[in-house]
Amino acid sequence: AQSKQRGGLIEMHEIAARSFEENLTSPAGAEARAYLEKRGVSRELVAQFRIGFSESGGQALTRKLSAGFPPDLLEASGLVRRRQEGSGHYDAFRGRLMFPIQNESGKVIAFGGRAMRDEDQPKYLNSPETPIYRKTHVLYNLHRARDGMRQTNRVVLVEGYMDVIGAHQAGVTDAVATCGTALTLEQTAQAWWHDFRPNQITAPQLARTLVDEAIAGHFQFHATSDDVSRGPNNERPARW
């Protein structure tokens, strides 16, 4: 039953990601496209990171998902919410620039949504924890950054989704970000695992290994004030 539920949730998130991508190219996504152009995000990166837009009406995704999934799975997904008054559901993300959060296999498991207008709060709204998403165990862009990490023998931790995308466009392909949390041991373990790939190790052993490695000086944290989202000559990427 759990496997079936997880499969359904993964399918729902993929449907949502495609819907958001389509919305971004529609007339309703004009403001979001203008924001991305202002931030210097190329069309190629928009496609690569699957950036999208959630419509402000609050019903488009709910109607789409309700056609194929039962109410209990809708609520478990975190993509829709039950109305407090009356019956029915509504979209959890409305009028926001959408950033898919993907697991190690590249499957969409959650979203981060940035408000397009000052009156829409909070500025960033993230998916709640679900059976397929634990925010303290996930690093944004890890599945895409792991090849770069193995080449550079490092991982660059930046603040947010747009910082990762800007860094990637500037050639820093080993950048990741937490999903609205402080850096956790579980997230550090994820990064270390992809870098060194131990053959067999349990979670407690990995935690102990990380502590021992840090004490021994085999890996270190470095802080920088550099803006890695710009190129070497402080240039912005090409416009849309």
Side-chain angles (χ1 to χ4, degrees):
Q2 288 184 346
S3 177
K4 184 176 180 180
Q5 181 194 48
R6 291 177 63 87
L9 293 174
I10 291 288
E11 185 179 354
M12 292 170 70
H13 278 76
E14 179 59 29
I15 292 172
R18 292 179 182 178
S19 179
F20 295 149
E21 287 177 295
E22 292 172 1
N23 293 343
L24 184 62
T25 63
S26 72
E31 186 176 3
R33 293 196 303 273
Y35 171 80
L36 290 169
E37 181 175 349
K38 182 180 178 180
R39 291 294 301 267
V41 181
S42 68
R43 293 187 182 186
E44 290 75 18
L45 275 190
V46 167
Q48 185 176 355
F49 282 83
R50 304 194 64 183
I51 302 173
F53 177 72
S54 57
E55 292 185 355
S56 58
Q59 284 297 310
L61 184 60
T62 295
R63 286 194 297 267
K64 187 172 292 188
L65 295 178
S66 297
F69 301 94
D72 61 330
L73 201 58
L74 291 178
E75 294 176 25
S77 73
L79 296 170
V80 304
R81 296 175 180 171
R82 178 184 289 276
R83 295 188 183 278
Q84 294 182 347
E85 298 181 2
S87 61
H89 300 83
Y90 63 94
D91 297 353
F93 297 98
R94 302 179 301 281
R96 291 177 177 270
L97 190 66
M98 300 300 294
F99 301 91
I101 298 169
Q102 294 158 284
N103 64 15
E104 298 175 26
S105 302
K107 296 184 183 300
V108 180
I109 56 173
F111 290 93
R114 186 196 189 283
M116 289 286 90
R117 300 179 182 179
D118 293 338
E119 59 268 26
D120 293 335
Q121 295 296 323
K123 181 178 179 181
Y124 277 96
L125 179 66
N126 296 314
S127 290
E129 294 204 343
T130 70
I132 61 172
Y133 174 59
R134 295 181 65 186
K135 61 184 179 181
T136 57
H137 288 62
V138 176
L139 284 168
Y140 177 71
N141 195 51
L142 180 60
H143 74 290
R144 197 177 286 111
R146 56 191 176 190
D147 289 340
M149 290 163 53
R150 292 179 190 135
Q151 293 174 6
T152 62
N153 198 35
R154 70 175 187 184
V155 57
V156 177
L157 180 68
V158 296
E159 185 175 0
Y161 311 124
M162 286 297 295
D163 300 305
V164 168
I165 294 167
H168 194 92
Q169 184 151 278
V172 182
T173 59
D174 49 4
V176 299
T178 61
C179 299
T181 69
L183 183 65
T184 66
L185 179 61
E186 291 82 4
Q187 291 165 333
T188 306
Q190 286 283 336
W192 187 87
W193 180 276
H194 281 288
D195 198 2
F196 293 99
R197 284 288 181 177
N199 292 325
Q200 291 183 341
I201 192 168
T202 65
Q205 289 172 334
L206 180 55
R208 181 60 189 173
T209 298
L210 285 169
V211 173
D212 291 343
E213 291 284 317
I215 292 174
H218 294 163
F219 72 85
Q220 301 173 344
F221 291 100
H222 297 276
T224 178
S225 59
D226 293 343
D227 182 357
V228 296
S229 66
R230 293 177 180 263
N233 298 317
N234 201 41
E235 75 275 8
R236 283 292 190 188
R239 293 167 61 88
W240 279 42

